[in-house]
Amino acid sequence: MTDFQPVSGFVLPRFAGIATFMRLPHVPLDDPRLSEVQIGLIGAPWDGGTTNRPGPRHGPRQLRDASTMIRAQHGISGIRPFEAARCADLGDVAPNPADVQDSLRRMTQFYARVRAAGIIPLTAGGDHLCTLPILRALSHDRPLGMIHFDSHTDLFHSYFGGQMYTHGTPFRRAVEEGLLDPHRVCMIGIRGTAYDSEDRDFARAEGIRVIPIEEFHRRSVEDVMAEARAIAGDGETYVSYDIDFVDPAFAPGTGTPEVGGPTSWQALECARGLSGVRIVGADLVEVSPPFDPSGGTAFLGASLMFEMLCAIVAGQAQENP
Amino acid sequence: MTDFQPVSGFVLPRFAGIATFMRLPHVPLDDPRLSEVQIGLIGAPWDGGTTNRPGPRHGPRQLRDASTMIRAQHGISGIRPFEAARCADLGDVAPNPADVQDSLRRMTQFYARVRAAGIIPLTAGGDHLCTLPILRALSHDRPLGMIHFDSHTDLFHSYFGGQMYTHGTPFRRAVEEGLLDPHRVCMIGIRGTAYDSEDRDFARAEGIRVIPIEEFHRRSVEDVMAEARAIAGDGETYVSYDIDFVDPAFAPGTGTPEVGGPTSWQALECARGLSGVRIVGADLVEVSPPFDPSGGTAFLGASLMFEMLCAIVAGQAQENP
Amino acid sequence: MTDFQPVSGFVLPRFAGIATFMRLPHVPLDDPRLSEVQIGLIGAPWDGGTTNRPGPRHGPRQLRDASTMIRAQHGISGIRPFEAARCADLGDVAPNPADVQDSLRRMTQFYARVRAAGIIPLTAGGDHLCTLPILRALSHDRPLGMIHFDSHTDLFHSYFGGQMYTHGTPFRRAVEEGLLDPHRVCMIGIRGTAYDSEDRDFARAEGIRVIPIEEFHRRSVEDVMAEARAIAGDGETYVSYDIDFVDPAFAPGTGTPEVGGPTSWQALECARGLSGVRIVGADLVEVSPPFDPSGGTAFLGASLMFEMLCAIVAGQAQENP
Amino acid sequence: MTDFQPVSGFVLPRFAGIATFMRLPHVPLDDPRLSEVQIGLIGAPWDGGTTNRPGPRHGPRQLRDASTMIRAQHGISGIRPFEAARCADLGDVAPNPADVQDSLRRMTQFYARVRAAGIIPLTAGGDHLCTLPILRALSHDRPLGMIHFDSHTDLFHSYFGGQMYTHGTPFRRAVEEGLLDPHRVCMIGIRGTAYDSEDRDFARAEGIRVIPIEEFHRRSVEDVMAEARAIAGDGETYVSYDIDFVDPAFAPGTGTPEVGGPTSWQALECARGLSGVRIVGADLVEVSPPFDPSGGTAFLGASLMFEMLCAIVAGQAQENP
Amino acid sequence: MTDFQPVSGFVLPRFAGIATFMRLPHVPLDDPRLSEVQIGLIGAPWDGGTTNRPGPRHGPRQLRDASTMIRAQHGISGIRPFEAARCADLGDVAPNPADVQDSLRRMTQFYARVRAAGIIPLTAGGDHLCTLPILRALSHDRPLGMIHFDSHTDLFHSYFGGQMYTHGTPFRRAVEEGLLDPHRVCMIGIRGTAYDSEDRDFARAEGIRVIPIEEFHRRSVEDVMAEARAIAGDGETYVSYDIDFVDPAFAPGTGTPEVGGPTSWQALECARGLSGVRIVGADLVEVSPPFDPSGGTAFLGASLMFEMLCAIVAGQAQENP
Amino acid sequence: MTDFQPVSGFVLPRFAGIATFMRLPHVPLDDPRLSEVQIGLIGAPWDGGTTNRPGPRHGPRQLRDASTMIRAQHGISGIRPFEAARCADLGDVAPNPADVQDSLRRMTQFYARVRAAGIIPLTAGGDHLCTLPILRALSHDRPLGMIHFDSHTDLFHSYFGGQMYTHGTPFRRAVEEGLLDPHRVCMIGIRGTAYDSEDRDFARAEGIRVIPIEEFHRRSVEDVMAEARAIAGDGETYVSYDIDFVDPAFAPGTGTPEVGGPTSWQALECARGLSGVRIVGADLVEVSPPFDPSGGTAFLGASLMFEMLCAIVAGQAQENP
């Protein structure tokens, strides 16, 4: 398994070297080593669904850069994910920056190949519309559960005169297309001013559980995550983590911030609370480097990706003891 | 009432258009529509009272820009303030950047006209000395109560050899001039290193209630705000919110930061705790764009203005059910 | 004509007030004063044609902000454009951030109305694809000449698998659609690494004059502009000014910078060299605030808009002495 | 004692004047007034031990600048440290930026002179390797206790092929050299991904108490600090405060941030919890201005230095009532 | 003369140490060494005359910081000013940030003491109004000549309803008060949009020579400076250098930038062209750190101060060979 | 040769993908494809020789990021270097961030392997001390000529008490070690304040030609480069390009800027003037991302690397027609 280890900071300093996710080897889809990979870290450099401040197309590259500061062992659990599973950086899916539908097609095809190779994808966005083609690829034959951290539900019907594919609509589409089982979906941290209540009404009607921020702040993270795990159950579950879930003091580099969110510690604890969930894929989206002057958002994002990686590994260990 | 609605993000994207407060119509004081306005959002672009790092004169423009990301409905209460009251952007009061006394006069006159039109002013500063001329205009015949969020009391007698009009002295002057009823004044969040105890001694002598930060952190926001509401009572009350009340991690863009302050969630909860107070005017001051590289301070400030707007509306609904 | 004067800095300091272009009155298309306007300043907040680093959608607002530092009189010629012509800020055209074709339609319609009102439009972009719908509106019945400052020809056929509408293609489309008379088109400042020579080949074949940067640096600005004026002749001419014409040290805030460009003084002299051209419309595009930490690009952009405004006025004076 | 007072903000505004620590007089080691000084503020502008992102060599100058905003009286305890003790800015120790061992020697010599003069040093780093020569100077004849705030233990054996003197190793060396009594050492806030468990194993074997962040967040600051004080006991104790102890939202300007840390309020409370400890020296290290665009890290650092200064003064008052 | 040497970078690295101008000793006005000083570097941390974007009050401290990168010998002339004359940092004059007239008085008194000590002052501003009290102190008995680099004449009568003391009026006042001999005044680099021609009309009427930027760009620096020296003649002359003389690409950190200015090389050459002038005082004003994200403006400003220092030294050498 | 082509922007947008130099394939030294490579782009992430502001260790990663905007064809000459020669990104040499001598050894060994493979190295620094080990590897048996663009000669004997290996000394060492033939060395652009004349004296004594900036500005680039080519002659020549050669307005992101330098156009023309030189290796050093807020320095650096690449290719074409 030595082929799938990060470059050690004792061999090449952490600031040195071509930046791949967590200093893992780069294994493109046409690389013969692909068949050995168990967890694939993937960039989705795209913001074609962004309705206000663009920039997440630059997210994957900055997340790769920041992720080179991540070391091999979890500080609390002691999990060493790169020893527990063969991980690799699969590179970036190629969006079409001038065509939304073509981009969705390209992304679905890319993730279908990842799935066919038996690889669990951990994606760095990109804006939140990225999650739709991933779900299309991952859940083609049965709806998935989902644990979703965000300040927005992304459950809107459409935008600006009927545009149905923006970063505000992916989960509406996913439910409509049967990609998600709404009764196994839990959305955590929803807040901010609203256009109206259309999204919440849809959630209620479909049976999606929404935990708004005021409830989140009243309860403990432990308690919230216990409920989330119960909702997801032991079925296959996708995890979608929008960095704007976290308060903008901790994550300013995002296009649609909402004040009053969780701290970085709460954000980490949420990700740790995924342990035990049967994760078939996960993402960290909406990191926007042009709005992140100190780079702190990308480092938090990379840290959350590492937490999700450990949760995936922990889940697999459970299944295959 | 359609004339007083914000431009919808579905008609003109939120990043587009001339930036007015919350995308409301611009109604200058000489506009015939003024008589219909109930709540007026006003910029006070002034920092002539600033003793250390200048910049708040640029606050109103940046707050307008950030406020275009505010949507029409409160995320928790569901209040839709622009439907509940006729709101407008009244433009900026014109200070004299080279003359403090002339600026105070100009501002008092401007707010006197606003008051005469029966409009509740919600002001975006400017440094904290702005509040003095506003109080002069609003409380000319009877002293007001005040709920004041800040890290400083702004109760000093003078500065630098007898200067009596700086952003450290407005409430000393306001008490001396009888604009405030000290027994109905509550100051929340006071902290930081001090020159001496002169301001606190004055507060104690006059009966002003000061809740320092160490007490704030010990108690719940709910508890603190219940006391604040009790102090204000059911009389007419002014609300003054200095952005440096919030911890500088959440609000770096200000001239006299003090570490150890509330989080953005606590800051929002404080503003929500104003509900039930009979608000005759409010302000959000000391946002200083040159010290706000990511613009997060302005967005938090705009969010707090929206919270205060909803509190004003809620208070009016109570009075006129 | 007093209705169309900028707010004086002696009445309201230049940092104060709602930011319109050059502090002019806001006259939306449905305002009765529209019929009096002679030159309309318009924002085109759009970057749907951007293939690399997005951001120009935020350009118009930042250009408005920076333009409040522009005073009423040209420093060299003494021209006072706001006295010479009735100018107004017509607001922003509303693009559809999620649909390129719909945006092009919306923009063409907006500019058709401007043209119908007899107003010369001076546009603040937006990415360079903006110019295509403007040309569609302005030249519906006869091809226009064009003087084009840029580091790229924007004459490419397509991008990324056949996308024909990006900020690299507007003038290819404009020539194909007969909106421009290629023999009356002059492109100045072209430079940077190239994909290939397809665009230059097209220019040569069509008779478009390209003055690359190495020629520009060899000749004087005066000489270059004399040739440009000769090419445009005395027919109706459009001026398109991409801020990336200027060296990125002077204009870092743009998405596709190319090093080795003109200084700000040369950039101004170029605009001054437009005097005598019969300008039917002009634009300043590709200002991208997220890449402009000190705001200098927007101020240079606003200064260039003022130069173009003076050139328009000078041209009109010539026609109607 | 008037010679050792900070310049008053009522005589010279706080933004004015040559920046010394807290506006204290500059008393170099060869100044005759040195013998009167009781507490010396010292800069250690060095990052020769930094293994990833450099910058702390610029820390002392930025900390001096930020410290000019610190006033004379503690906001809660009312302590006026500059009246309680004769404090001075002793200037910077001169490191050799091209030679680690020479720098260690120079620093040890400097602090030996400070100790010989009976001065308690309060140091502004510099990277954390600075603390090793300080400990060598201060504890030459008996091991000290230490309370250490950090996200890293800095207890590693070596780095990159046997380098034994980096900012990850100072306390390993200090224990090996007998400078610290491991049973009187308490490390608080440890977190982040790890290379391995070598440092924790060493701590356990030697009897050093490590309070990791997950324990810190579970307990109250009061409780944690009570334990820390009990571990330090009433023996002579050094305090070492790495700014990366605090969450990077509050302190982005540091080279090796770890997310999930304490808030600024908790950070201050920790420092206040030092009251009663017999402090023989203290430091605030790893402030890195190039990564601190808004300067907030330096201001937090200066505020923590003031807290530690008050704790030193309180401890002395106890000893010499 | 060893007492007045900068701290060597071989003794204390250039990034280390308390920042004084060019690492010179700090000699306050009440220091007995004052009588030995020949050239005094002084900070004037004030922006009370600023009508638009404030910030120059923070200039002196940032200029001191940047000036620590200046070495002892001129790169072209080989002049070693610190050996040629006894130079010292005299500290900052204390303005009153809340009172313009009091500030003018305080500054005049400070410079009168400097003059009385026979010291030539080289001042770091501060906004341009600073120059008025300096001229009042230096020219009390006979009018001075002046060479003035700027993009504005600063010759306006008043501002905003009669304010006669702003950074746009100092030289109008100085001429009115007889501090300057207008026939020996030369202003270089004037440009930008104008309110009107009032200042130029005044210059013409009084015999002040204005070399506008278009003339500057046409002629060589050598030629322009020869004329300037001829105008100043061999009488006592003051040099006032506003950093906004330089193009904002080279000097973004200033409050009233005007595009189209000289390069840094031209800016240096202008200062070198002062050689031979009988300089009785000089200043470098309008450096505004909040608008200087990379610190380059301060470094250019410090470099220009060094050039002026060498010019002063060269002038003295001429007088006292 | 298709294996050594950059990823096309029409296949994967330029902002997407793992960032290698100019989007070339990554071919580490142990890759079997190494033997096919003709020109190797290499990162030297090191600043262990930096005496003032550190940061160049982060240069290679940022240069890789910026270089993804470079297209395949030179805009003026039409050269397509990736078709003319097999180019690859060889990754980073691993320095030892805690040991200067070990780093020099590691770098010499790395470049010796590159040389043994017959590859011409084009290096992205790192500070200027990097060039010493490169020269040791490339010129082991005969001294090389060198064309050196810089604002400093880097010819000093030692620093800070005898440190002989800093970024101010590499070429002194190289001459002493016989790696360079001083009569074939030309240094262009030297400027700034100086410690003394020791370096210039050494240059004169050894026969090194120094073209200081004042001479550079007087002559044309063409003329200067003709002389440089004549000095280098037709022997093997190394090219060393310090980004601080360029004026800091164009390249702020560097540790030891000197004002008054060339423009970006002059900087490009200098690199183009290398055509015809027999280049055996080249570097672009001293790009320091922490001081480059807008990223413009890295983009200029990448553009200069492309120019040097074309010059290498042109030189080879000459030799092997």
Side-chain angles (χ1 to χ4, degrees), chain D residues 49-65:
Chain D
T50 298
T51 54
N52 197 338
R53 308 190 306 175
R57 71 177 72 180
H58 300 297
R61 196 172 288 171
Q62 201 199 25
L63 283 161
R64 278 194 179 89
D65 188 358

Side-chain angles (χ1 to χ4, degrees), chain B residues 52-53 193 255-259 291, chain D residues 14-24 41 58-71 89 124 243 284 287 289 292 294-306, chain E residues 58 61 65:
Chain B
N52 197 336
R53 306 189 308 175
T193 56
T256 322
E258 305 291 349
V259 298
F291 295 92
Chain D
R14 309 193 77 75
F15 51 79
I18 293 170
T20 59
F21 284 122
M22 302 185 193
R23 314 187 92 203
L24 287 166
L41 288 80
H58 300 297
R61 196 172 288 171
Q62 201 199 25
L63 283 161
R64 278 194 179 89
D65 188 358
S67 78
T68 61
M69 295 212 281
I70 302 293
R71 303 178 200 86
D89 182 332
I243 196 72
L284 188 282
V287 170
D292 192 24
S294 73
T297 309
F299 182 59
L300 177 57
S303 300
L304 289 168
M305 286 180 72
F306 184 79
Chain E
H58 300 297
R61 197 172 286 171
D65 189 358

Side-chain angles (χ1 to χ4, degrees), chain D residues 51-122:
Chain D
T51 54
N52 197 338
R53 308 190 306 175
R57 71 177 72 180
H58 300 297
R61 196 172 288 171
Q62 201 199 25
L63 283 161
R64 278 194 179 89
D65 188 358
S67 78
T68 61
M69 295 212 281
I70 302 293
R71 303 178 200 86
Q73 180 175 308
H74 194 281
I76 300 175
S77 67
I79 290 178
R80 298 178 70 84
F82 310 116
E83 294 181 4
R86 288 184 297 276
C87 302
D89 182 332
L90 306 191
D92 280 1
V93 54
N96 181 336
D99 188 323
V100 170
Q101 293 306 324
D102 187 33
S103 293
L104 294 177
R105 258 191 312 274
R106 286 160 170 267
M107 293 174 71
T108 303
Q109 283 164 8
F110 186 100
Y111 282 90
R113 289 177 65 187
V114 170
R115 182 179 197 263
I119 298 170
I120 297 180
L122 173 54

